[in-house]
């Protein structure tokens, strides 16, 4: 039977019929003898792909009940808060979107066209920052991380998200007074002779007001947990957790990045921040470390007034100074900003081993140059604790950074338990060298890196200090400078403290 092909749908009539004589004849003989190697390879690849697909499908089906159970349990724990946060999220997007449309309409008739800021819409630095601020605590925290990681994010985003530090919308003072009365269990004026209704700072989770203690006249600050913040955090973090679980289920390769583990860790650490009793303990631990090491003339942390503190309020000594990023003000307080930075680094590195916990959120709002010349460490809501095993590997890791010994660096990461499988140390070292020469996340995918929480916290702080170094001492190498005791004296300090 003749084989013909009819092409239809041509606007100017039909194309002529094409018979089999106009096509090359393909027979089994041709396939068998002329293209056998290619065909075999095609079938082999097809078979491998099919096996891989079947294996992945089977794994997903096995994990599906656990995923569904996890989503249901997380949704139940979120409760009505989830629906409320969804509505607030939609409202935030609509609100910022309206601002963007208004700005677009103002420049619509411009001969130069729309600025890049407006072309990017809600993904531009300005409007994304506004959206994060409207969404509240969880997203403001994310904005703070962006602002503190210039090596990871474009400079325009880093610059714009600086506004996320202590720039969260303030809660009306009447609500703050209500919380203070509830937590103190008595009239406010029996404890404080004065409270400034204008907040010193309004952060994502808490608001800080200056005050004076009745009777002693001591200047203090009162850190007050914002009303409803726990519900917001639970809803936001549960939503992010569910999204991470679904993403890992749909794309198992993401498990190499420990996406769910990272989100779980963020959830746990942020929920710890809403318990000020824990923060009070962290501050006192750091002050004990400074006292034991004879560092009270170089650095300090605020004294805690336990009798006026609860889970929701924290009363502390008021310190006066400027953030470590305010170079002009720092120069008016001390003769050498570089010396101040070295002091801050040595005190912080010393706390890694010589203190029960280390400050794990040293962004500019929490690290100050004080008027009396000391370095002030503020806000101990997020801290880290290093196990001996992790520190031993971390010690090697820091030393290897200083001397650019990538093989030692690879070995340290393996010993730290950062890799999810057995790897070739030398190959890993070669790829680490590449990542330091030109940042490439592919090395993490290749070796299944899963960093312990302590390591991630340390790396985050090093990013903060990297920013301070660029500003206060641009010619200094933080890891090689002999004035900075990165690892050499920390073990000795730990033995003294213990």
């Amino acid at each position: 039977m003749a084989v013909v092909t009819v092409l239809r749908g041509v606007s100017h009539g039909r194309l002529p019929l094409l018979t089999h004589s106009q096509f090359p004849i393909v027979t089994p003989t041709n396939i068998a003898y002329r293209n056998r190697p290619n065909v075999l390879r095609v079938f082999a690849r097809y078979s491998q792909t099919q096996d891989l697909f079947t294996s992945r499908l089977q794994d997903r089906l096995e994990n599906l009940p656990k995923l569904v159970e996890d989503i249901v349990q997380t949704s139940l724990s979120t409760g009505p808060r989830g629906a409320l946060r969804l509505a607030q999220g939609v409202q935030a997007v609509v609100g910022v979107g309206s601002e963007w449309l208004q700005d677009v309409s103002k420049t619509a008739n411009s001969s130069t066209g729309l600025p890049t800021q407006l072309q990017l819409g809600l993904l531009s630095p300005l409007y994304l920052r506004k959206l994060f601020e409207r969404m509240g605590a969880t997203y403001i925290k994310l904005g703070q991380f962006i602002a503190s990681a210039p090596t990871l994010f474009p400079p325009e985003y880093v610059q714009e998200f600086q506004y996320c530090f202590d720039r969260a919308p303030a809660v009306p003072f009447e609500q703050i007074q209500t919380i203070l009365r509830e937590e103190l269990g008595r009239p406010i004026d029996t404890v404080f002779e004065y409270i400034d209704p204008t907040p010193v700072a309004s952060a994502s989770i808490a608001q800080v007001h200056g005050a004076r203690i009745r009777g002693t006249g001591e200047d203090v600050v009162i850190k007050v947990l914002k009303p409803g913040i726990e519900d917001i955090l639970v809803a936001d973090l549960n939503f992010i957790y569910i999204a991470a679980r679904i993403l890992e289920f749909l794309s198992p390769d993401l498990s190499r990045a420990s996406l769910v583990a990272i989100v779980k860790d963020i959830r746990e650490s942020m929920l710890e921040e809403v318990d000020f009793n824990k923060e009070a303990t962290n501050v006192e631990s750091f002050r004990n470390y400074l006292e034991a090491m004879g560092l009270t003339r170089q650095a300090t942390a605020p004294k805690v007034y336990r009798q006026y503190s609860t889970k929701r309020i924290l009363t502390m000594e008021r310190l006066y100074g400027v953030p470590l990023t305010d170079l002009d003000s720092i120069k008016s307080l001390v003769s050498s900003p570089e010396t101040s930075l070295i002091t801050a680094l040595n005190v912080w590195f010393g706390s890694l081993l010589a203190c029960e916990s280390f400050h794990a959120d040293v962004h500019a709002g929490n690290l100050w140059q004080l008027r009396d010349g000391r370095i002030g460490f503020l806000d101990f809501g997020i801290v880290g604790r290093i196990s001996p095993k992790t520190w031993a590997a971390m010690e090697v890791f820091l030393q290897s950074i200083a001397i650019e010994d990538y093989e030692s660096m690879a070995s340290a990461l393996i010993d730290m338990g950062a890799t999810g499988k057995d790897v070739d140390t030398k190959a890993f070292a070669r790829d680490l060298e590449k990542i330091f020469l030109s940042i490439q996340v592919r090395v993490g995918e290749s070796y299944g890196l899963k960093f312990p929480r302590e390591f991630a916290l340390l790396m985050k702080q090093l990013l903060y200090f990297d920013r301070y170094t660029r500003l206060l001492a641009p010619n200094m190498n933080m890891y090689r400078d002999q004035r900075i005791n990165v690892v050499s004296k920390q073990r000795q300090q730990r033995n003294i403290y213990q």
Side-chain angles (χ1 to χ4, degrees):
M1 179 183 296
V3 178
V4 297
T5 301
V6 180
L7 301 180
R8 302 182 183 275
V10 180
S11 59
H12 298 289
R14 295 175 177 266
L15 287 176
L17 295 179
L18 302 179
T19 66
H20 70 283
S21 60
Q22 295 173 275
F23 291 96
I25 299 175
V26 179
T27 66
T29 303
N30 288 342
I31 295 177
Y33 293 102
R34 295 170 60 184
N35 296 314
R36 176 177 291 178
N38 291 335
V39 171
L40 291 177
R41 280 196 293 269
V42 169
F43 275 109
R45 290 176 183 174
Y46 173 77
S47 179
Q48 291 172 358
T49 303
Q50 189 177 39
D51 290 344
L52 180 61
F53 174 79
T54 302
S55 175
R56 288 187 173 182
L57 180 61
Q58 185 175 354
D59 289 340
R60 292 183 189 181
L61 290 176
E62 290 176 356
N63 293 327
L64 183 59
K66 176 60 179 175
L67 172 65
V68 173
E69 180 185 354
D70 212 1
I71 291 175
V72 170
Q73 290 180 349
T74 304
S75 300
L76 290 175
S77 69
T78 305
R81 296 172 293 198
L84 176 62
R85 284 300 287 161
L86 178 61
Q88 291 173 338
V90 172
Q91 186 178 16
V93 171
V94 171
V96 177
S98 298
E99 288 186 40
W100 172 75
L101 287 174
Q102 290 175 3
D103 293 341
V104 168
S105 64
K106 292 176 183 177
T107 59
N109 298 324
S110 173
S111 59
T112 59
L114 288 178
T116 304
Q117 187 86 282
L118 294 177
Q119 291 179 20
L120 291 174
L122 298 190
L123 294 180
S124 71
L126 173 63
Y127 297 105
L128 190 61
R129 189 261 300 171
K130 288 184 175 183
L131 180 60
F132 277 24
E133 288 182 345
R134 288 203 184 205
M135 288 295 292
T138 312
Y139 298 90
I140 291 174
K141 280 287 183 184
L142 177 58
Q144 291 174 352
F145 177 73
I146 293 173
S148 303
T151 57
L152 298 180
F153 299 97
E156 55 270 22
Y157 286 86
V158 172
Q159 182 63 35
E160 183 63 39
F161 279 94
Q162 299 298 321
Y163 292 106
C164 285
F165 290 116
D166 298 329
R167 290 283 298 272
V171 172
F173 186 58
E174 293 74 19
Q175 295 184 36
I176 297 296
Q177 289 178 307
T178 299
I179 295 172
L180 288 174
R181 280 193 295 267
E182 292 174 353
E183 294 302 304
L184 292 171
R186 49 180 160 162
I188 297 174
D189 58 9
T190 64
V191 177
F192 304 104
E193 66 178 52
Y194 169 76
I195 300 178
D196 190 345
T198 303
V200 175
S202 178
S204 56
I205 289 176
Q207 191 160 300
V208 180
H209 288 261
R212 188 177 300 117
I213 295 179
R214 180 168 294 282
T216 66
E218 294 170 276
D219 285 347
V220 297
V221 291
I222 313 169
K223 186 176 181 179
V224 183
L225 190 69
K226 289 185 174 180
I229 199 66
E230 290 175 275
D231 287 345
I232 291 174
L233 286 178
V234 169
D236 286 352
L237 295 171
N238 282 354
F239 170 77
I240 294 172
Y241 173 73
I242 289 176
R245 287 284 284 115
I246 292 174
L247 283 173
E248 275 201 4
F249 177 79
L250 296 176
S251 181
D253 288 342
L254 286 176
S255 63
R256 294 178 179 177
S258 304
L259 182 61
V260 170
I262 291 171
V263 170
K264 287 177 69 175
D265 182 68
I266 292 174
R267 181 170 60 174
E268 291 172 6
S269 64
M270 288 190 70
L271 291 178
E272 277 190 6
E273 285 190 75
V274 300
D275 185 349
F276 291 160
N277 286 325
K278 292 182 179 179
E279 182 172 348
T281 299
N282 296 337
V283 176
E284 290 171 342
S285 173
F286 191 81
R287 285 175 59 86
N288 290 339
Y289 149 69
L290 294 176
E291 183 72 33
M293 301 307 302
L295 296 171
T296 53
R297 291 186 178 182
Q298 288 79 43
T300 190
K303 171 187 173 183
V304 175
Y305 293 80
R306 283 279 191 174
Q307 66 273 37
Y308 310 132
S309 301
T310 67
K311 182 179 179 180
R312 297 174 68 199
I313 66 172
L314 180 59
T315 303
M316 299 173 288
E317 168 192 10
R318 184 165 189 175
L319 301 178
Y320 293 93
V322 296
L324 218 57
T325 51
D326 189 346
L327 182 59
D328 292 336
S329 296
I330 291 174
K331 287 180 178 178
S332 69
L333 296 175
V334 296
S335 59
S336 174
E338 182 174 305
T339 300
S340 294
L341 174 62
I342 291 170
T343 298
L345 282 164
N346 282 332
V347 170
W348 183 78
F349 274 120
S351 70
L352 296 181
L353 280 181
C355 186
E356 294 177 7
S357 59
F358 66 89
H359 197 302
D361 197 21
V362 290
H363 64 68
N366 295 338
L367 196 59
W368 283 13
Q369 173 70 65
L370 303 183
R371 292 177 184 175
D372 60 13
R374 295 183 296 175
I375 298 297
F377 286 80
L378 290 71
D379 195 345
F380 284 75
I382 302 177
V383 298
R385 296 173 179 84
I386 302 180
S387 65
K389 179 182 178 182
T390 300
W391 175 252
M394 189 67 200
E395 193 173 30
V396 175
F397 183 80
L398 291 173
Q399 288 174 334
S400 65
I401 289 179
I403 61 176
E404 297 182 6
D405 182 351
Y406 298 105
E407 191 161 334
S408 294
M409 195 184 300
S411 297
L413 289 171
I414 293 170
D415 293 341
M416 199 183 299
T419 54
K421 56 184 179 180
D422 293 334
V423 299
D424 182 332
T425 304
K426 292 187 180 296
F428 189 19
R430 288 193 295 271
D431 281 352
L432 283 172
E433 183 174 6
K434 293 176 184 177
I435 200 174
F436 274 83
L437 294 176
S438 59
I439 302 299
Q440 297 189 29
V441 296
R442 288 195 299 273
V443 68
E445 297 174 357
S446 301
Y447 295 96
L449 294 185
K450 298 180 180 180
F451 294 111
R453 177 178 188 265
E454 305 100 315
F455 183 89
L457 287 175
L458 287 170
M459 290 299 100
K460 180 181 175 183
Q461 308 324 303
L462 292 179
L463 287 174
Y464 287 136
F465 280 117
D466 175 67
R467 181 181 177 221
Y468 302 142
T469 301
R470 294 185 184 193
L471 181 65
L472 304 180
N475 297 322
M476 186 180 78
N477 187 311
M478 185 169 65
Y479 303 105
R480 294 184 178 182
D481 196 295
Q482 296 300 312
R483 296 168 295 176
I484 301 172
N485 302 319
V486 177
V487 293
S488 59
K489 296 183 180 179
Q490 308 311 325
R491 195 172 301 281
Q492 179 183 355
Q493 289 179 335
R494 183 180 194 178
N495 294 336
I496 293 174
Y497 182 70
Q498 291 179 339

